[in-house]
Amino acid sequence: MSQNSNADVRVGVRTRSLSDSRLRYIRQLGATDIFVDHADTEEEPDEFNDRDGTDTIVVGPDQIPSVSELTAARERVEDAGLSFTGIQSLPYSMYGDIMFDRDGADEALDQITTLIRNLGEAGIPILGYQWNPRSVVPMRTSPVEDRGSAESTAFNYDELDEPDELASGIDREYTEEEFWDNYQYFLENVLPVAEEAGVDLALHPIDPPSIESLGGIPRLFRNVENFEKGMELVPSDNHGLKLCLGCFSQMGEDVTDVIRRFGERDQIIFIHFRDVVGTMPKFHETFVDKGNFNTADAVRTLHDVGFEGAVIPDHVPKMEGDDDWRHRGRGFTIGYLRGVVDTVRSEQTQTTPAPEAE
């Protein structure tokens, strides 16, 4: 993760499918970077699935792609004029035993470190992850109507039936101290491997944020302070944030302050660029041109801190005629972001003073 005054903000895409038609469409939109979603759609809320995705890279328990498989996928993406920049996220089924310190934790660590080594050898530089038991506790409640009757995902704490009742499959309530210890054990095992492999690990916030515990499960990465603790726990140049602007917007944080706070420390690896209307305990996702924060201000701040990396749409509204991947909602978002990024880049060029003649 290098910081540079000549910021290079690129627009990327998360996709489960690597089919020829999907890659062509992404290239036609002018996006540059591909982040591949893991294949297990059962671990994702239905609203975020790319269930019809084909020709994907399978990442899951006992399904670690080999160096040759990853290399072939990278070359296929590159042949389409794109960059295979990273794996979007690890499925909970791969890290859950580590999170809860259950039997199988060391085996899970072996599989994750094997994946990291394989990514490094295949020339794929980023592995996203989260410390969030997706599919175990609720992430969203009933969707809402947005502009023009588009459908947007939403969360309303009051819609949860029994938020303090133990989640399915959880044998007892866990303490935050236990979870911090288990998380530190994870970092101590994976970060040295990431450093050796030349792979950056990117941590995503808990979503929804702000809640201390849900279903008896502590929610560590719910606020800015806990992210700072997570980055300091086992310091590494190969560890940073999958900075989800929507999550920090849900917290009620000033998004530009958050970008500056972590960007000036060179701790942003890539960006989930989305926004919401409202804050915890009630909010809904929305179009990128409306919401709690100003898109142009966020991109200007990324330039100010010298961010070099990808911003990718996330949780886009479902528009008229959309498929399960929400290709129209995603296409609108990519086009809008590219326009803002180009405009801000032009502003920066015009305001940068020419070097003085010697």
Side-chain angles (χ1 to χ4, degrees), residues 141-170:
T141 52
S142 303
V144 300
E145 280 196 3
D146 209 319
R147 183 172 65 204
S149 298
E151 182 182 294
S152 290
T153 49
F155 181 81
N156 184 348
Y157 188 84
D158 290 340
E159 290 186 23
L160 301 181
D161 292 332
E162 298 288 344
D164 297 323
E165 183 177 313
L166 288 184
S168 176
I170 305 303

Side-chain angles (χ1 to χ4, degrees), residues 57-279:
I57 294 292
V58 178
V59 176
D62 302 315
Q63 293 179 299
I64 305 302
S66 66
V67 174
S68 60
E69 289 173 320
L70 290 167
T71 300
R74 176 180 58 75
E75 291 174 347
R76 181 177 183 181
V77 169
E78 289 173 351
D79 287 343
L82 301 162
S83 170
F84 188 165
T85 305
I87 299 293
Q88 152 69 20
S89 194
L90 288 173
Y92 163 72
S93 56
M94 280 195 72
Y95 63 85
D97 287 341
I98 309 167
M99 172 185 282
F100 288 96
D101 190 24
R102 298 186 296 228
D103 290 343
D106 288 339
E107 181 182 349
L109 281 167
D110 286 343
Q111 294 199 24
I112 293 170
T113 52
T114 297
L115 174 62
I116 293 169
R117 290 189 184 96
N118 291 357
L119 287 170
E121 287 191 46
I124 299 169
I126 294 174
L127 174 60
Y129 78 99
Q130 52 198 353
W131 212 244
N132 181 9
R134 298 281 285 271
S135 78
V136 178
V137 292
M139 182 173 172
R140 292 293 182 269
T141 52
S142 303
V144 300
E145 280 196 3
D146 209 319
R147 183 172 65 204
S149 298
E151 182 182 294
S152 290
T153 49
F155 181 81
N156 184 348
Y157 188 84
D158 290 340
E159 290 186 23
L160 301 181
D161 292 332
E162 298 288 344
D164 297 323
E165 183 177 313
L166 288 184
S168 176
I170 305 303
D171 58 349
R172 63 178 176 85
E173 187 171 345
Y174 286 76
T175 68
E176 187 152 320
E177 183 179 3
E178 285 179 286
F179 259 41
W180 278 116
D181 287 344
N182 298 343
Y183 181 64
Q184 182 170 345
Y185 181 70
F186 168 76
L187 294 181
E188 288 172 345
N189 280 272
V190 300
L191 287 180
V193 178
E195 291 167 1
E196 183 179 347
V199 173
D200 287 336
L201 267 60
L203 171 65
H204 189 282
I206 203 87
D207 190 8
S210 304
I211 307 169
E212 291 188 9
S213 179
L214 189 61
I217 303 170
R219 301 174 69 79
L220 295 189
F221 299 106
R222 62 183 180 267
N223 55 34
V224 171
E225 293 74 23
N226 282 12
F227 263 98
E228 292 180 331
K229 179 176 178 177
M231 293 299 102
E232 295 167 359
L233 206 58
V234 182
S236 172
D237 289 341
N238 289 74
H239 192 208
L241 306 186
K242 185 198 309 183
L243 189 69
C244 179
L245 302 186
C247 285
F248 287 99
S249 182
Q250 290 157 207
M251 297 175 200
E253 294 284 348
D254 183 315
V255 164
T256 57
D257 286 348
V258 172
I259 292 172
R260 198 171 300 280
R261 190 168 188 166
F262 292 106
E264 290 177 348
R265 301 173 186 180
D266 198 19
Q267 291 177 330
I268 304 174
I269 297 176
F270 69 107
I271 306 280
H272 273 183
F273 208 112
R274 65 176 173 90
D275 200 4
V276 299
V277 172
T279 57

